[in-house]
């Protein structure tokens, strides 16, 4: 077994050798929780959940950390617009994040640290940088001395001189050099803030991940991952902060997923093509969205439109139908014959090809192609006049393994009547408490299971679609 991954730091594919044999320390940058996540947020959640699953399947013990930015300018603006407190908004959309990503088949991280719960360790981190001369206070703000760190630009492969060309000192900034970036922001009137040695304020964006990664994973980690847009300046700044403090390499492997376009245009609110996962999964099976995302190699851009989504739905159905046909045929199968051993060897060969594709920089696109080859052979085998339980079990077992790695469900969940009644009651309670995110999530869960809700004079009734 040899897993290879493309390292943004070295710009080449490398064999994965963890710091500690058999164990993986992995940090993935999470969302800023001021709204429902869009499909650009969903892609890294799906991609790196799949990376985690494959490493686990390959026998690694994965310690997976992904943060929430629950205080920043966007959250403060949202709080002002809605007349609510920042923590209230953050809590609402953290819950919504879990509902949406779990619908997409993403497992929770081992730890989901929040900025607001990490203020003390962030302040301590900044204090150490100040003591070492890598940071300085100016008018209540604290800035990082970018030029003092010799390796700045090594992740994005830019020199200090190249970076200086586009650098500016913005209005209200009191930094010594245009390249310096903020670690601590002095509070403005009415803003949420915390006490610090430099006065009331809050953390800058970049420092939070350095501090939280260090707390939960140590000075050096194996994998740091996120969207391509985070390479510079966010991840570049994380390296500068962490390595200046510890004197050790921050992360050995840097993984970045590609962008998402909508009908071949960049997704943006100004173009009116901003697509929220919360809205998509009301209309589309979340498993289809996950399958669609994985049908393209994670480092390549993805073009999203309804036609491609429909195609993904049809493809996923083909795989599931083949699986269901195998299960149906199993009940009338016989004992293994000599001829059937050839089929088991074919199934094993497909499984090995699948693992080889996933070992090669997590190539889910090629891995899905192998799944279709397995499906094709399954359909051919079912044309045989006599089938063997052992062969069908081999097909089903490998299907299960491949679907686990990709985070897909072969079978649709079936709820008992009493479980449906309980979910409807939970939805009613959520609506009474004005927890509309929870109520919507339950409604969508039932809809995806073909449970149709009907309002009647006697209350809500349900039926199977």
């Amino acid at each position: 077994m040899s897993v290879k991954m493309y390292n943004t730091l070295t710009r080449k594919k490398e064999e994965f050798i963890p710091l500690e044999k058999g164990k993986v320390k992995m940090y993935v940058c999470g969302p800023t929780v001021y709204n429902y996540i869009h499909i650009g947020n969903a892609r890294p959640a799906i991609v790196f959940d799949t990376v985690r699953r494959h490493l686990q399947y390959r026998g690694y013990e994965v310690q997976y950390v992904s943060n929430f930015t629950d205080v920043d300018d966007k959250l403060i603006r949202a709080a002002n617009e809605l007349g609510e407190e920042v923590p209230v908004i953050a809590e609402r959309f953290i819950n919504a994040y879990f509902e949406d990503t779990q619908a997409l088949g993403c497992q929770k991280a081992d730890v989901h640290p929040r900025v607001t719960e990490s203020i003390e360790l962030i302040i301590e981190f900044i204090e150490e940088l100040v003591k070492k001369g890598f940071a300085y206070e100016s008018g209540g703000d604290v800035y990082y001395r970018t030029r003092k760190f010799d390796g700045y630009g090594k992740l994005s492969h830019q020199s200090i001189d190249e970076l200086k060309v586009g650098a500016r000192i913005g209005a209200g900034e009191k930094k010594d050099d245009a390249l310096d970036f903020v670690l601590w922001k002095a509070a403005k009137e009415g803003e949420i803030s915390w006490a610090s040695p430099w006065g009331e304020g809050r953390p800058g964006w970049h420092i939070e991940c350095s501090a939280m990664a260090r707390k939960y994973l140590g000075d050096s980690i194996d994998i740091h991952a996120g969207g391509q847009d985070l390479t510079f300046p966010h991840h570049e700044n994380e390296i500068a902060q962490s390595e200046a403090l510890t004197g050790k390499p921050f992360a050995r492997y840097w993984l970045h997923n590609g962008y998402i376009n909508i009908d071949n245009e960049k997704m943006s609110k100004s173009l009116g093509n901003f697509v929220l996962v919360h809205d998509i999964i009301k209309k589309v099976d979340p498993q289809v969205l996950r399958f669609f995302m994985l049908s393209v190699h994670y480092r390549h851009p993805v073009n999203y439109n309804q036609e491609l989504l429909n195609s993904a739905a049809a493809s996923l159905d083909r795989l599931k139908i083949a699986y269901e046909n195998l299960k149906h045929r199993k009940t009338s199968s016989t004992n293994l014959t000599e001829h059937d051993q050839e089929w088991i060897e074919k199934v094993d060969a497909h499984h090995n090809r699948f693992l080889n594709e996933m070992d090669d920089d997590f190539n889910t696109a090629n891995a899905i192609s192998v799944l279709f080859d397995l499906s094709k052979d399954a359909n051919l085998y079912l044309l045989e006049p006599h089938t063997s339980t052992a062969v069908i079990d081999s097909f089903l077992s490998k299907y299960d393994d491949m679907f686990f790695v990709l985070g897909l469900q072969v079978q649709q969940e079936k709820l008992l009547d009493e479980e449906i009644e309980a979910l409807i009651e939970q939805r009613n309670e959520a609506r009474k408490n004005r927890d509309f995110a929870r109520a919507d999530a339950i409604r969508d869960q039932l809809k995806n299971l073909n449970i149709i809700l009907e309002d009647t004079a006697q209350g809500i009734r349900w039926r199977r679609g």
Side-chain angles (χ1 to χ4, degrees), residues 5 21-22 50 67 70 83 95 123 132 160 175 187 209 229 232 238 265 323 357 390 393 396 422 427-428 442 447:
M5 56 188 73
K21 187 176 180 180
T50 306
N67 71 298
D70 59 344
N95 290 334
I123 290 173
K132 286 176 171 281
I160 282 285
K175 53 188 178 181
C209 287
D229 57 312
F232 183 86
E238 282 187 63
E265 287 189 305
Y323 182 89
E357 295 294 353
D393 279 342
L396 292 173
R427 181 173 178 264
N428 290 338
I442 294 172
K447 182 179 178 182

Side-chain angles (χ1 to χ4, degrees), residues 194-347:
W194 290 265
S196 81
W198 318 284
E200 290 286 323
R202 57 189 169 89
W205 177 36
H206 311 300
I207 191 66
E208 63 186 63
C209 287
S210 285
M212 290 187 282
R214 187 184 186 212
K215 176 179 179 179
Y216 293 103
L217 297 174
D219 290 346
S220 295
I221 66 177
D222 295 300
I223 299 172
H224 198 311
Q228 184 180 334
D229 57 312
L230 299 181
T231 307
F232 183 86
H234 186 53
H235 288 164
E236 194 75 70
N237 290 351
E238 282 187 63
I239 290 174
Q241 296 160 164
S242 297
E243 296 188 2
L245 183 72
T246 67
K248 303 173 185 177
F250 178 35
R252 292 164 64 90
Y253 304 88
W254 288 86
L255 276 57
H256 294 94
N257 64 271
Y259 292 109
I260 290 184
N261 296 318
I262 311 294
D263 280 325
N264 294 310
E265 287 189 305
K266 183 179 178 182
M267 184 174 65
S268 72
K269 288 182 178 178
S270 61
L271 293 174
N273 62 358
F274 205 69
V275 183
L276 298 177
V277 172
H278 193 70
D279 294 331
I280 298 173
I281 62 177
K282 291 177 182 177
K283 306 170 186 174
V284 177
D285 182 350
Q287 287 276 294
V288 170
L289 183 58
R290 183 181 183 109
F291 184 80
F292 167 76
M293 292 284 191
L294 296 178
S295 65
V296 177
H297 191 285
Y298 79 91
R299 288 193 286 113
H300 298 167
V302 169
N303 185 46
Y304 173 93
N305 61 41
Q306 191 59 49
E307 184 180 349
L308 292 171
L309 207 59
N310 292 342
S311 176
S315 295
L316 184 57
D317 277 346
R318 282 168 52 202
L319 294 173
K320 290 186 175 183
I321 288 168
Y323 182 89
E324 289 299 330
N325 288 342
L326 285 163
K327 287 196 68 178
H328 178 72
R329 187 68 172 273
K330 180 178 175 180
T331 56
S332 60
S333 295
T334 60
N335 294 328
L336 183 68
T337 67
E338 184 176 344
H339 172 65
D340 289 332
Q341 186 60 41
E342 297 174 14
W343 281 105
I344 290 177
E345 290 172 3
K346 281 185 181 182
V347 173

Side-chain angles (χ1 to χ4, degrees), residues 2-19:
S2 176
V3 176
K4 294 183 175 66
M5 56 188 73
Y6 183 87
N7 190 350
T8 306
L9 187 66
T10 61
R11 287 191 174 179
K12 63 183 180 181
K13 202 181 292 183
E14 300 176 350
E15 182 180 352
F16 177 61
I17 303 173
L19 290 160

